[in-house]
Amino acid sequence: MADESKWEKRDENYLNKIKNIVTDIRYGSVNLIIQDGKVIQIDKTEKIRL
């Protein structure tokens, strides 16, 4: 039960991080790297339009 709560809290933190990245970026992409059903890496590529 404690492990499940730990994963839920971690997943919630990742979702908040992703939400902040998506809200902050104007042009670009966000890539999630997932392994065994868990986010292990977040890549953000931002484009600057002139």
Side-chain angles (χ1 to χ4, degrees), residues 13-46:
N13 288 338
Y14 286 136
L15 289 173
N16 286 333
K17 181 75 170 172
I18 294 164
K19 179 182 170 189
N20 290 338
I21 290 171
V22 170
T23 303
D24 190 44
I25 196 169
R26 291 194 62 178
Y27 300 100
S29 62
V30 177
N31 243 357
L32 302 178
I33 309 301
I34 300 169
Q35 182 175 348
D36 297 327
K38 303 294 178 195
V39 176
I40 62 166
Q41 184 173 326
I42 302 171
D43 294 327
K44 175 179 116 174
T45 304
E46 190 165 4

